[in-house]
Amino acid sequence: MPSSEKIAIAAHLHVLLRRKTGRVTDTEWMATNADYAAEIVRFSREKAAEDGHIDLGVWADRLEEIMASPEVKPRVPLVRMMADAVKERSEAPPAAAAPVPDRQGARSVNTEEEVYPESGFIESTFGTFFGDSEKRREREPRDPDAPRYVKGLR
């Protein structure tokens, strides 16, 4: 049986037990753990016989029946799946050679950091890419004792 049907039956039994006996159960644990489900079935049948709640007995029988049926697909832990994937990848033949990096990337262009290493900011090099004919203005050397303010802000 699919686990969704087990959870549906466990949820229905959970609601009945809460309404009729005040007992609160864990539906997911009931649908996955056979020992917990067997104890809930025993408790439900006991309360059905004591208080005359026939529907508790019916749903307890359904839960017992569905828990006895084998699971269709066993769950594989995520750790095992990832370990298998890593093993497959390491055993696979090496992929094609890595592509050649782009030589015109942002770091291959002379930046202000290389020209003026004392500055903490990078000046725009936008004009140099599109053939701007203006020469760069030379920066005056900075006084090392002067306070460092940006546009007069402190």
Side-chain angles (χ1 to χ4, degrees):
M1 282 289 166
S3 63
S4 61
E5 289 184 37
K6 288 181 181 181
I7 291 176
I9 292 172
H12 197 88
L13 189 58
H14 165 81
V15 170
L16 288 174
L17 284 171
R18 191 186 70 224
R19 287 183 183 163
K20 300 192 184 242
T21 65
R23 173 94 179 222
V24 177
T25 60
D26 186 346
T27 56
E28 284 190 48
W29 189 243
M30 193 186 318
T32 57
N33 188 319
D35 294 333
Y36 183 69
E39 182 59 27
I40 296 298
V41 166
R42 184 199 63 75
F43 178 78
S44 299
R45 286 186 180 146
E46 182 181 303
K47 288 297 181 180
E50 285 178 10
D51 301 334
H53 301 299
I54 300 169
D55 50 348
L56 274 177
V58 171
W59 283 96
D61 293 340
R62 287 185 183 177
L63 181 63
E64 185 177 47
E65 179 183 326
I66 201 166
M67 290 305 289
S69 65
E71 183 72 25
V72 174
K73 181 181 172 185
R75 299 181 95 183
V76 179
L78 180 61
V79 173
R80 184 172 298 151
M81 287 176 24
M82 294 306 295
D84 292 343
V86 168
K87 283 181 186 176
E88 287 177 14
R89 181 170 271 194
S90 65
E91 293 172 0
V100 177
D102 182 17
R103 298 293 180 211
Q104 290 298 323
R107 284 290 170 204
S108 66
V109 177
N110 286 339
T111 60
E112 292 294 319
E113 290 176 341
E114 295 169 357
V115 178
Y116 301 106
E118 76 272 356
S119 174
F121 300 97
I122 298 176
E123 296 294 325
S124 173
T125 57
F126 184 75
T128 60
F129 288 121
F130 296 98
D132 191 6
S133 60
E134 284 186 34
K135 289 190 173 190
R136 290 183 168 203
R137 59 188 172 132
E138 295 297 322
R139 187 181 291 190
E140 296 176 12
R142 189 174 71 80
D143 180 18
D145 297 326
R148 295 190 61 167
Y149 299 124
V150 177
K151 299 277 183 178
L153 297 176
R154 294 179 185 224

